[in-house]
Amino acid sequence: MIAALAGWRRFVPASARRRLRPLRSAYVGWRRSRPVDLGAFRRTTPIDPNWGFERGTPIDRVYVERFIGGHANDIRGRVLEIAAPDYTNRFGSEVERVDILMAKDGNPEATIVGDLADAPQIPSDSFDCAIVTQTLQFVYDIRAALATLHRILAPGGVLLATVPGITKISPPEDEEYGEWWHYTGRSARRLAEEAFGEGNVEVASFGNVLSAAGFLYGLAASDLAQEELDASDRLYEVIVGVRAVKRP
């Protein structure tokens, strides 16, 4: 069999050989591999099905807060936030007013009720900052939502958005709104640039294979060492952050 594999190069294009190389290496080296001790990960159910909240702060929440906190200077003037003014209160400065957007009635903190994909009732050029965390995966018409966010921002206004990459589906929101999208840094940038224009979008991604696996299993941030949380690998994006500016 090994001899047969050695002669394959004559018949397979170079581009295909690159894709098949890992498979060949795995076949040749399988006898030398050792069993992996998966420990607590050898299970088909999460350790904490509630995102890690039962153990502490969820891993993705650390990344969201890191992104929003890293752009605290943008949270000023009139601010729009989803569901509650948590990040505005924590990181904002010189905030004149905060409005809370909800898609449906029922939240007493909401000052605006409407669908981001179709919200003509929100005046144009109104906000200096829009904080939209972990929301855009529940909007099917994402292009319309980003167009709305661009429209309602004042010239010079900033969108601070985070979206999930590697994650489980959120059952309550999936049943109520539909969980339509999980993102990569590349897809988030392209979509934001369609609305805000090239050169007006910055994207940051957070995560690595350990934090991604831990997040899926429901570990908390405290279950990982700081350097394990901080390690960044673009192939394992847990959270993608988008900063987009509406140019005058």
Side-chain angles (χ1 to χ4, degrees):
M1 181 66 177
I2 302 300
L5 284 171
W8 68 314
R9 295 181 180 83
R10 294 181 297 161
F11 308 104
V12 180
S15 59
R17 290 204 302 270
R18 285 194 293 272
R19 294 194 297 272
L20 291 171
R21 190 177 297 127
L23 299 177
R24 178 175 181 270
S25 299
Y27 175 81
V28 173
W30 72 273
R31 287 174 298 181
R32 295 194 297 271
S33 66
R34 297 178 180 179
V36 176
D37 181 8
L38 295 178
F41 280 7
R42 188 174 290 280
R43 54 189 296 151
T44 59
T45 57
I47 294 168
D48 175 8
N50 190 25
W51 307 96
F53 275 110
E54 305 305 320
R55 302 177 61 81
T57 301
I59 290 169
D60 69 331
R61 186 63 58 88
V62 170
Y63 293 147
V64 171
E65 293 178 358
R66 185 174 299 177
F67 177 76
I68 299 298
H71 296 287
N73 290 339
D74 293 322
I75 305 173
R76 55 179 176 74
R78 187 176 178 186
V79 178
L80 178 72
E81 190 166 347
I82 306 297
D86 294 344
Y87 294 117
T88 302
N89 291 342
R90 287 185 58 186
F91 300 116
S93 61
E94 300 182 6
V95 173
E96 300 168 5
R97 172 178 170 177
V98 57
D99 281 286
I100 301 303
L101 173 66
M102 286 295 295
K104 297 182 179 180
D105 288 315
N107 183 344
E109 293 192 81
T111 59
I112 303 172
V113 176
D115 183 352
L116 270 178
D118 183 20
Q121 74 275 27
I122 305 178
S124 300
D125 303 324
S126 297
F127 298 98
D128 299 295
C129 182
I131 303 173
V132 183
T133 56
Q134 307 304 96
T135 299
L136 296 178
Q137 68 269 32
F138 305 118
V139 181
Y140 182 77
D141 193 346
I142 179 61
R143 287 181 170 87
L146 288 168
T148 294
L149 289 165
H150 180 269
R151 177 182 64 78
I152 66 178
L153 283 170
V158 177
L159 167 65
L160 298 177
T162 64
V163 292
I166 299 171
T167 185
K168 73 167 188 174
I169 290 172
S170 179
E173 289 82 2
D174 183 44
E175 292 174 7
E176 187 168 6
Y177 305 107
E179 186 161 344
W180 303 105
W181 316 112
H182 295 165
Y183 294 83
T184 64
R186 186 186 297 273
S187 64
R189 177 185 296 278
R190 181 166 179 175
L191 287 163
E193 285 182 342
E194 288 179 5
F196 287 81
E198 292 186 14
N200 300 323
V201 176
E202 303 170 20
V203 171
S205 60
F206 304 85
N208 57 73
V209 66
L210 178 59
S211 65
F215 179 49
L216 292 177
Y217 272 96
L219 298 186
S222 57
D223 290 311
L224 302 183
Q226 191 63 51
E227 59 269 21
E228 293 170 337
L229 277 173
D230 292 345
S232 181
D233 186 336
R234 69 177 186 84
L235 301 182
Y236 299 92
E237 298 172 317
V238 175
I239 289 294
V240 176
V242 177
R243 179 182 185 271
V245 180
K246 180 175 179 177
R247 296 301 178 190

